[in-house]
Amino acid sequence: MSEQQNIYPVRDAIAAKAWADKEKYQAMYKQSVDDPDTFWGEQAKRIDWVKFPTKIKHTSFDPHNVDIRWFEDGTLNASANCLDRHLEKRGDQTAIIWEGDDPNDSAHISYRELYERTCQLANALKAQGVKKGDVVTLYMPMIPEAAVAMLACARIGAVHSVVFGGFSPDALAQRIIGANSKLVITADESVRGGKQVPLKDNVDAALTRDGTEVCQKVLVVKRTGGEIEWKEGRDLWYHEQVDSQPTDCAAEEMNAEDPLFILYTSGSTGAPKGLKHTTGGYMVYASLTHQYVFDYQDGEVYWCTADVGWVTGHSYIVYGPLANGGTTLMFEGVPSYPTHGRMGEIVDKHKVNILYTAPTAIRALMAHGENVMDSSKRDSLRILGSVGEPINPEAWEWYYRVIGNSNCPIVDTWWQTENGGIMIAPLPGATDLKPGSATLPFFGVQPALYDSEGNALEGAVDGNLVITDSWPGQARSIWGDHERFTQTYFSTYQGVYFTGDGCRRDEDGYYWITGRVDDVINVSGHRMGTAEIESSLVAHDAVAEAAVVGFPHDIKGQGIYIYVTLNDDAEPSDELKKELTQWVRKDIGPIASPDVIQWAPSLPKTRSGKIMRRILRKIAANECDGLGDTSTLADPSVVDELIEHRANR
Ligand code: WTA
């Protein structure tokens, strides 16, 4: 990334009305790190508590005792914070604008309606025996019922675990088992880009896997009316269970540290981890970040294009905006359907003021040229946001100029599933922008850059990004495996949270995320563990060994490059490549589709047998001149062979 860049100063007109200008940001930031108890004790007032907390921060990153608690003696309910407290003032205001895959389908759901629908489902869940602390898995399309289901779980103290609808039956089964989930909520089919995705069939397949017996009930929303199998006694139509329920349901009083949700995400090693997020700190953090980072003003229409299956959907489609009494737009489809102008057309149709999307979506549009947005004006837009992966300055400039008509500040927001909410980002009225930089830390966030030995680096420098103290939105544990939580995040460097990201700090103290430094790759903003894809491949009869790395990809950010060593009795062929591609798609889901497969008679390994991924990454990136030291390899000739047969892309 080049240092040479334009600077976009804060606009006076934005700063004049913003929640924070430069001085206010600095003062609030200073207090948040100097005196977290006072700062967060004050901020806690932004949400409704049954019992207001007297204890604010109680956190330790000591690897012998990672213990993170915020507001620990407070009690509240997340769903009441998103619904009940708005009824008096904004019962008739639109809470959710739903835009269907088909441009002719849309709906407005008021806060009162959302409250009633949530209460009805909450009552239906109770009738099925779901209790406080039980885990409910959601495998759903982007329809209002997905938000209703999250809020209904929260209302009765059940813990939701949303699984992205693009994951395979096996991936779904793994998550149902991992969370010991009693009930799944799904739909017959989802609709994306004019095509049906068989969600219920996938659930049926998942529930044939060993270990899923714990799941006794499947609640099915009728979205398309498509044909599905039905298992009597297990499957229940959502509308039959819900429509006759009372439209009130008391909200369960939850402790601040009771779990609100589990969300699975990929790491460097092993199976996906279920991050545990709790109630009080998460709600304060999601709502505060949503208000300040997007400078959300009363009455504005806010659209986050993420799927609710990702953390961005949790914090910035559902909990943040609804806690703030906002109007949040939920889009069922894909930005390229029916035409590439769709995103802009949705902005015009619903007069969207704030648009939050991913660099991969912007690059996909850029590829269609300057005129791709000509079917819309987008003059309602005020603020743009970016999330999920580093945004390259070219894409930033294009987003600014073409989508935002050179009128809207862009907030590039860096954060992770583990963080619960935005960590490093500009505030529209407070931060001068540099395209490609996530800029400065949010309140309470203390970033630092470490070298590989764990020394803190000062000044303008490159390093590994750590966070030195806790913030309220932070995940508290990995579901059922606190030791793994400690190992993964708090053992690389003592006493700090390790993000897994590399980062540069410039002379103005701005942060520039450079990407993962571990074995996680980021494909179109989706986090994939290379180990997960490798273990899928080696389960195929023909495969002896596999190594997966990321490589630079124009649209996706990173693509998936796979080196495969076949068993002696298997013949390399294009057919087999196709078969392996299908295999991974079926095993994990379409988002894990390999971009490139290269046959590797053997893989570069150290004498102790460790695969040298650094070298594989370089070859995949076609940087074969800069391979660095290969002298520690057991057999350096392996590398020449791989370079010679480097797969053409
Ligand atoms: C990457 C998504 C650069 C990063 C909210 C992080 C980013 C991972 C940005 C988390 C950004 C996310 N700039 N990189 N603005 N946002 N990332 O858990 O590598 O799906 O560690 O959370 O995405 O992905 P996750």
Side-chain angles (χ1 to χ4, degrees):
M1 225 172 279
S2 76
E3 285 262 339
Q4 167 59 40
Q5 84 272 133
N6 298 328
I7 294 186
Y8 292 79
V10 170
R11 288 154 185 269
D12 294 340
I14 297 248
K17 294 196 196 123
W19 288 105
D21 60 11
K22 274 186 187 159
E23 287 69 37
K24 187 161 176 212
Y25 164 71
Q26 270 156 15
M28 285 177 77
Y29 182 77
K30 187 166 186 315
Q31 191 197 31
S32 74
V33 299
D34 290 350
D35 185 3
D37 279 325
T38 304
F39 180 85
W40 291 110
E42 196 54 40
Q43 291 305 327
K45 295 180 186 154
R46 62 184 296 107
I47 61 171
D48 281 1
W49 300 82
V50 179
K51 177 168 171 284
F52 193 80
T54 63
K55 297 183 183 158
I56 305 301
K57 180 174 187 286
H58 176 147
T59 65
S60 161
F61 284 181
D62 175 352
H64 302 294
N65 176 33
V66 175
D67 184 7
I68 303 161
R69 301 183 223 170
W70 285 89
F71 314 118
E72 62 181 303
D73 62 346
T75 63
L76 74 164
N77 182 283
S79 137
N81 268 286
C82 292
L83 301 168
D84 311 32
R85 68 170 178 156
H86 304 313
L87 292 182
E88 198 179 327
K89 198 172 140 208
R90 28 176 126 241
D92 297 328
Q93 181 200 306
T94 300
I96 297 179
I97 299 177
W98 178 73
E99 168 77 10
D101 186 61
D102 179 331
N104 299 315
D105 267 355
S106 55
H108 283 67
I109 299 165
S110 69
Y111 270 96
R112 178 162 311 285
E113 258 181 281
L114 189 60
Y115 167 85
E116 290 179 353
R117 288 168 67 168
T118 298
C119 288
Q120 286 187 306
L121 176 58
N123 286 324
L125 290 174
K126 281 203 208 163
Q128 291 305 320
V130 178
K131 293 188 300 295
K132 180 173 174 174
D134 289 345
V135 179
V136 174
T137 299
L138 313 186
Y139 184 67
M140 300 187 72
M142 286 289 288
I143 53 177
E145 286 83 352
V148 168
M150 292 164 77
L151 295 168
C153 288
R155 193 154 193 95
I156 61 171
V159 180
H160 58 71
S161 167
V162 185
V163 178
F164 173 56
F167 277 127
S168 69
D170 282 322
L172 174 60
Q174 196 180 23
R175 287 157 175 77
I176 290 171
I177 297 166
N180 205 28
S181 177
K182 280 185 164 173
L183 185 143
V184 175
I185 308 180
T186 189
D188 46 4
E189 300 175 312
S190 68
V191 196
R192 285 167 56 82
K195 296 198 198 78
Q196 281 73 40
V197 183
L199 293 184
K200 172 62 165 57
D201 286 357
N202 288 349
V203 173
D204 291 344
L207 292 182
T208 63
R209 308 292 193 264
D210 286 346
T212 55
E213 301 77 21
V214 52
C215 179
Q216 296 288 328
K217 297 284 176 199
V218 179
L219 206 51
V220 187
V221 177
K222 193 179 249 179
R223 166 66 188 95
T224 63
E227 211 162 290
I228 54 173
E229 303 270 313
W230 200 255
K231 190 163 167 185
E232 279 311 324
R234 185 196 69 183
D235 298 344
L236 305 162
W237 280 116
Y238 183 102
H239 57 272
E240 287 178 4
Q241 299 301 314
V242 168
D243 290 355
S244 55
Q245 293 289 345
T247 53
D248 279 306
C249 170
E252 190 77 32
E253 180 176 349
M254 305 297 286
N255 181 270
E257 285 301 336
D258 281 336
L260 176 60
F261 65 86
I262 310 174
L263 190 56
Y264 281 84
T265 190
S266 298
S268 330
T269 53
K273 323 178 264 273
L275 272 319
K276 172 179 140 182
H277 281 281
T278 58
T279 309
Y282 174 82
M283 288 304 291
V284 170
Y285 200 74
S287 75
L288 185 70
T289 46
H290 174 261
Q291 178 185 329
Y292 277 84
V293 176
F294 301 105
D295 189 40
Y296 185 80
Q297 304 284 340
D298 215 17
E300 285 192 313
V301 177
Y302 160 92
W303 178 22
C304 164
T305 69
D307 190 283
V308 288
W310 311 116
V311 73
T312 309
H314 284 59
S315 302
Y316 300 113
I317 294 177
V318 180
Y319 289 112
L322 295 178
N324 291 342
T327 297
T328 181
L329 193 152
M330 189 174 194
F331 175 40
E332 181 180 40
V334 295
S336 55
Y337 177 85
T339 69
H340 293 287
R342 181 74 188 274
M343 211 151 97
E345 290 159 17
I346 295 174
V347 168
D348 284 5
K349 175 173 170 186
H350 299 293
K351 307 265 175 298
V352 172
N353 305 111
I354 302 167
L355 171 67
Y356 189 30
T357 191
T360 188
I362 297 159
R363 289 192 299 261
L365 288 174
M366 266 172 91
H368 295 280
E370 291 285 305
N371 299 327
V372 63
M373 302 303 277
D374 281 0
S375 59
S376 57
K377 287 208 188 83
R378 302 167 311 289
D379 47 8
S380 54
L381 287 174
R382 193 172 72 85
I383 309 279
L384 302 174
S386 172
V387 64
E389 53 179 317
I391 180 164
N392 47 310
E394 299 72 31
W396 195 106
E397 299 277 0
W398 196 90
Y399 192 19
Y400 183 82
R401 187 167 47 79
V402 180
I403 297 190
N405 298 317
S406 301
N407 247 333
C408 315
I410 298 180
V411 291
D412 173 8
T413 64
W414 173 84
W415 61 295
Q416 313 175 293
T417 306
E418 292 85 346
N419 305 155
I422 293 165
M423 299 285 281
I424 301 183
L427 306 187
T431 320
D432 298 334
L433 306 172
K434 299 186 188 183
S437 172
T439 76
L440 300 172
F442 190 72
F443 308 135
V445 175
Q446 301 181 60
L449 301 180
Y450 279 20
D451 68 13
S452 44
E453 275 77 54
N455 303 305
L457 304 168
E458 300 300 327
V461 72
D462 247 307
N464 297 319
L465 179 63
V466 305
I467 311 292
T468 61
D469 201 356
S470 184
W471 62 98
Q474 178 168 29
R476 306 303 197 243
S477 195
I478 290 174
W479 195 252
D481 197 348
H482 196 61
E483 178 53 29
R484 191 175 175 205
F485 185 64
T486 303
Q487 278 304 319
T488 310
Y489 304 108
F490 301 95
S491 67
T492 314
Y493 303 117
Q494 298 286 305
V496 298
Y497 166 82
F498 179 43
T499 64
D501 279 316
C503 182
R504 186 164 56 81
R505 187 171 45 218
D506 71 14
E507 50 296 336
D508 296 323
Y510 275 40
Y511 290 87
W512 301 71
I513 309 296
T514 50
R516 301 289 302 198
V517 293
D518 55 8
D519 292 322
V520 170
I521 53 183
N522 193 323
V523 183
S524 302
H526 303 325
R527 245 167 99 164
M528 304 288 323
T530 52
E532 252 176 281
I533 307 175
E534 287 163 7
S535 68
S536 164
L537 285 161
V538 294
H540 188 282
D541 281 345
V543 177
E545 203 168 23
V548 175
V549 297
F551 71 98
H553 186 288
D554 284 349
I555 306 239
K556 300 181 185 181
Q558 281 190 302
I560 300 176
Y561 196 111
I562 301 187
Y563 298 88
V564 175
T565 308
L566 292 174
N567 281 318
D568 289 345
D569 55 0
E571 278 299 313
S573 67
D574 285 349
E575 274 311 297
L576 183 54
K577 280 190 183 175
K578 279 192 199 128
E579 192 179 316
L580 293 176
T581 302
Q582 281 313 317
W583 178 269
V584 176
R585 287 174 66 97
K586 189 171 160 297
D587 207 21
I588 303 176
I591 57 170
S593 290
D595 293 281
V596 182
I597 298 180
Q598 175 170 359
W599 305 123
S602 47
L603 293 167
K605 291 185 183 164
T606 61
R607 290 190 194 93
S608 59
K610 200 167 177 292
I611 295 175
M612 290 192 72
R613 288 164 196 285
R614 175 176 61 80
I615 292 177
L616 295 176
R617 273 186 217 116
K618 291 268 185 193
I619 298 174
N622 202 9
E623 292 170 4
C624 302
D625 294 340
L627 289 184
D629 185 11
T630 55
S631 63
T632 54
L633 286 176
D635 175 6
S637 72
V638 168
V639 174
D640 299 330
E641 152 74 35
L642 289 180
I643 293 177
E644 190 180 334
H645 295 106
R646 197 179 155 274
N648 269 338
R649 303 194 304 276

